[in-house]
């Protein structure tokens, strides 16, 4: 008679959180990959004018889902600082709902709208994919390299595109909205510095960790 297998151990709270985060990051990676694909296909085939119509609503709701990441940070599910997480998500929500959605004639056909989406989507596909593999315990080396080096190019592209779109939106508004727009642009300087230096710090930590791993492997071999 075949021996019965013991039942699997019950899931702990940590296991549940890990599975949830893995599913969340997988879905987000797929959503942003879809946005990246739409922009890459739409621009050469139908032109810049069709990007907003083909991807705008999808981008708005995909970015809105990221509000969950503020909750993750607030409740300690992830180690990301709540301040920097909230700053990045809030600025993007402002762009998609408060700028492009409210002033599509001034912003949606601009090449800076497409460059913003390209920078965002490429960044997020890599970031969420990295998180999925990291939760599983093994990250491909090429993904680690992309995660901690792409931002040197993509972040300036993204932040410049965002600032231009805010500026373009202010050109068709009267007071006090024009002054609000200029105030937002003024906040981009310190805000960009905080986020950029945070990412540089994260890269430094990750690279030190990789170097330590290589030294340990060299010693054991």
């Amino acid at each position: 008679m075949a021996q019965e297998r013991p039942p699997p151990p019950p899931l702990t709270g940590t296991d549940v959180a890990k599975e949830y985060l893995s599913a969340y990051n997988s879905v987000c990676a797929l959503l942003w990959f879809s946005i990246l694909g739409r922009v890459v296909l739409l621009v050469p085939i139908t032109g810049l004018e069709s990007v907003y119509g083909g991807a705008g609503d999808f981008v708005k709701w995909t970015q809105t889902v990221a509000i969950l990441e503020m909750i993750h940070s607030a409740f300690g599910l992830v180690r990301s600082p709540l301040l920097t997480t909230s700053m990045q998500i809030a600025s993007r929500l402002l762009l998609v709902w408060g700028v492009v959605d409210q002033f599509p004639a001034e912003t949606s056909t601009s090449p800076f709208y497409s460059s913003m989406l390209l920078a965002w989507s490429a960044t997020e596909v890599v970031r969420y994919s990295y998180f999925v593999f990291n939760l599983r315990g093994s990250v491909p080396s090429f993904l680690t390299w992309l995660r901690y080096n792409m931002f040197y190019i993509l972040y300036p592209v993204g932040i410049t595109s965002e600032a231009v779109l805010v500026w373009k939106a202010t050109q068709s508004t009267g007071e006090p909205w024009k002054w609000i727009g200029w105030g937002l642009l003024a906040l981009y300087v310190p805000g960009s510095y905080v986020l950029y230096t945070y990412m540089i710090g994260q890269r430094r930590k990750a690279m030190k960790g990789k170097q330590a791993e290589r030294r340990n492997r060299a010693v054991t071999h």
Side-chain angles (χ1 to χ4, degrees):
M1 185 176 180
Q3 185 178 3
E4 292 186 2
R5 294 181 179 179
L11 291 175
T12 64
T14 302
D15 293 330
V16 172
K18 186 176 179 180
E19 292 301 320
Y20 162 73
L21 290 173
S22 181
Y24 171 81
N25 287 306
S26 297
V27 170
C28 288
L30 290 173
L31 291 175
W32 281 105
F33 183 76
S34 176
I35 293 170
L36 178 62
R38 291 185 189 204
V39 178
V40 169
L41 290 175
L42 285 170
V43 171
I45 294 175
T46 58
L48 296 171
E49 295 79 8
S50 64
V51 172
Y52 182 70
D57 285 339
F58 196 78
V59 170
K60 285 187 296 187
W61 291 111
T62 297
Q63 185 56 57
T64 301
V65 170
I67 292 175
L68 288 172
E69 294 175 34
M70 297 165 63
I71 299 174
H72 298 165
S73 179
F75 284 90
L77 286 177
V78 296
R79 291 178 294 177
S80 302
L82 181 58
L83 176 61
T84 52
T85 300
S86 300
M87 285 176 58
Q88 184 172 31
I89 293 172
S91 66
R92 288 191 177 187
L93 290 174
L94 173 67
L95 260 295
V96 296
W97 288 105
V99 176
V100 179
D101 188 61
Q102 299 301 312
F103 304 97
E106 294 78 10
T107 60
S108 64
T109 59
S110 169
F112 289 99
Y113 178 66
S114 296
S115 62
M116 180 183 75
L117 294 189
L118 286 173
W120 285 7
S121 56
T123 297
E124 299 297 49
V125 168
V126 170
R127 184 171 72 95
Y128 286 119
S129 299
Y130 175 89
F131 289 156
V132 171
F133 281 101
N134 193 44
L135 285 165
R136 296 303 177 188
S138 178
V139 182
S141 57
F142 81 91
L143 199 56
T144 300
W145 188 91
L146 290 174
R147 165 84 171 115
Y148 292 107
N149 288 280
M150 280 177 52
F151 77 90
Y152 279 118
I153 296 174
L154 293 181
Y155 187 79
V157 170
I159 203 71
T160 300
S161 301
E162 294 172 28
V164 171
L165 293 178
V166 172
W167 175 79
K168 288 177 73 68
T170 65
Q171 303 309 295
S172 63
T173 60
E175 298 180 0
W177 299 109
K178 186 183 291 285
W179 291 107
I180 293 175
W182 284 108
L184 291 173
L185 287 175
L187 290 175
Y188 262 81
V189 176
S192 301
Y193 175 79
V194 170
L195 292 175
Y196 199 58
T197 53
Y198 170 73
M199 290 185 289
I200 291 174
Q202 291 296 102
R203 180 188 184 277
R204 188 178 298 116
K205 291 179 183 178
M207 293 301 102
K208 284 183 179 179
K210 285 295 179 181
Q211 290 172 1
E213 287 180 13
R214 285 194 291 267
R215 286 195 297 268
N216 291 335
R217 282 198 294 266
V219 170
T220 56
H221 287 81

